[in-house]
Amino acid sequence: MNSFAFVFPGQGSQSVGMLDAWGDHPVVLATLNEASDALREDVAKLIKEGPKEALALTTNTQPVMLVAAVAAYRVWMAETGLAPAAVAGHSLGEYSALVAAGVLTLTQAAPLVRFRAQAMQDAVPVGVGAMAAILGMDAAKVIAGCAEVTSSFDENSLEVVEAVNFNDPGQTVIAGSKAAVEKACEVLKANGAKRALSLPVSAPFHSSLMKPAAEKLKEQLKSIEFMAPQIALINNVDVAVEVDPDRIRDALYRQAFGPVRWVQCVQAIKARGLTSIVECGPGKVLAGMVKRIDPELNGMALLDPTTLADIKTILSGANHA
């Protein structure tokens, strides 16, 4: 019996040299070559050498995070043969989950996420939108505070702020127009939030300001053949497991301007009887969130050969218990 899930990180976990720990693993090299062919550029060089500023560009960040996560997943499967019972991805990470579940190939997904990134960047000029992490406040209070701030502007105003990432019980990310986000940070701190941290991002992801990007993405998704998932995939926007390709496409469209319900996604994984959740790809952000969402869950990060061996030992023991 498989008793674990894999989850895949989104933007923010990228770093120059993030695949170096895998050395010249043939599966990683093959994955980089496949992505380079699909994107018509040297993805391995971009990841290995950067520079950091290049990796931070949304149009680069989204494809390289996809490639790094898929590479780690493929190494795991090649080395262990242990498939997860469920997968999910945080924001952009949902596309890595789609590849892991067999819905899309990497050759399909890499250009798709670059298209998505460009559409998102084009939807809101740099400097017009913003995002911030609100720490130490209940999500319902964050939602109420955002609604209060949005309604405080003139009804014909384009100023808007919304709760867009429900990351863990004490962390909710807000996004929208720069002025509204700044005002919301002040209001939420006055209402009891411990901290309000501005995030270094180039667009207000998952907010209603992304609707123009989502419409472009919707058209692009129509042109791509989706396969039925081979592994249960819990999506961000509905916290649902879809098998029909059209419903998967629609969820991806709505995810672009809808919230990432990560707390509920992790709870849904647990509801399937899975207590071990492995973050697959660079960083340990999701593994940390898993433990804060539910201390009974075992959150682990697969990011190099050492962690792979450790996780394999832990899960093999669980599988044969």
Side-chain angles (χ1 to χ4, degrees):
M1 283 290 292
N2 288 334
S3 58
F4 64 98
F6 264 40
V7 294
F8 299 88
Q11 282 184 239
S13 294
Q14 70 278 359
S15 62
V16 176
M18 60 187 169
L19 289 176
D20 288 357
W22 295 109
D24 291 328
H25 196 295
V27 171
V28 174
L29 296 180
T31 302
L32 287 167
N33 287 337
E34 183 182 342
S36 295
D37 287 346
L39 292 169
R40 296 181 181 149
E41 71 168 283
D42 190 341
V43 176
K45 186 171 188 283
L46 177 61
I47 291 173
K48 190 171 186 63
E49 300 177 11
K52 182 181 176 181
E53 293 73 20
L55 279 190
L57 293 171
T58 295
T59 50
N60 285 334
T61 308
Q62 296 202 19
V64 298
M65 281 300 297
L66 170 80
V67 173
V70 170
Y73 181 75
R74 288 178 171 178
V75 172
W76 169 266
M77 290 305 300
E79 300 275 341
T80 74
L82 294 170
V87 292
H90 188 286
S91 186
L92 162 71
E94 191 161 304
Y95 289 80
S96 304
L98 287 162
V99 175
V103 177
L104 295 172
T105 64
L106 181 60
T107 297
Q108 290 173 310
L112 176 60
V113 298
R114 173 156 282 173
F115 179 92
R116 175 181 183 266
Q118 189 64 58
M120 286 178 157
Q121 196 58 74
D122 292 347
V124 180
V126 174
V128 172
M131 298 181 78
I134 307 302
L135 307 180
M137 176 173 267
D138 181 74
K141 289 185 179 178
V142 177
I143 293 169
C146 288
E148 176 192 327
V149 170
T150 298
S151 64
S152 73
F153 291 98
D154 183 87
E155 63 181 41
N156 297 319
S157 166
L158 296 176
E159 305 291 349
V160 62
V161 58
E162 297 153 352
V164 296
N165 289 0
F166 299 94
N167 286 338
D168 68 40
Q171 185 193 120
T172 303
V173 174
I174 62 174
S177 58
K178 193 167 188 289
V181 169
E182 289 173 353
K183 186 172 181 181
C185 287
E186 292 173 12
V187 168
L188 292 168
K189 279 195 287 187
N191 289 351
K194 285 182 183 173
R195 296 178 76 188
L197 302 174
S198 177
L199 299 180
V201 295
S202 55
F205 302 118
H206 299 291
S207 74
S208 56
L209 296 178
M210 289 288 105
K211 192 83 192 301
E215 295 304 325
K216 290 182 184 176
L217 180 63
K218 189 176 190 177
E219 289 305 306
Q220 189 72 5
L221 288 166
K222 288 178 184 175
S223 67
I224 297 171
E225 183 182 4
F226 280 47
M227 304 299 287
Q230 303 301 302
I231 302 169
L233 192 161
I234 299 159
N235 69 29
N236 286 180
V237 74
D238 300 318
V239 196
V241 175
E242 301 290 1
V243 294
D244 176 71
D246 285 337
R247 290 180 69 88
I248 295 171
R249 283 192 191 91
D250 181 60
L252 289 173
Y253 154 69
R254 288 182 293 112
Q255 188 232 45
F257 63 96
V260 174
R261 302 182 185 280
W262 193 247
V263 171
Q264 290 173 279
C265 287
V266 170
Q267 291 167 338
I269 289 170
K270 186 184 181 184
R272 299 176 80 86
L274 308 172
T275 55
S276 294
I277 300 180
V278 180
E279 177 176 4
C280 183
K284 303 176 181 179
V285 174
L286 300 185
M289 286 181 192
V290 163
K291 293 173 184 177
R292 291 193 295 275
I293 291 167
D294 190 329
E296 292 182 359
L297 295 173
N298 185 16
M300 298 172 278
L302 167 64
L303 33 83
D304 56 27
T306 302
T307 50
L308 187 149
D310 291 345
I311 294 167
K312 181 182 177 184
T313 300
I314 292 166
L315 295 181
S316 295
N319 285 342
H320 296 121

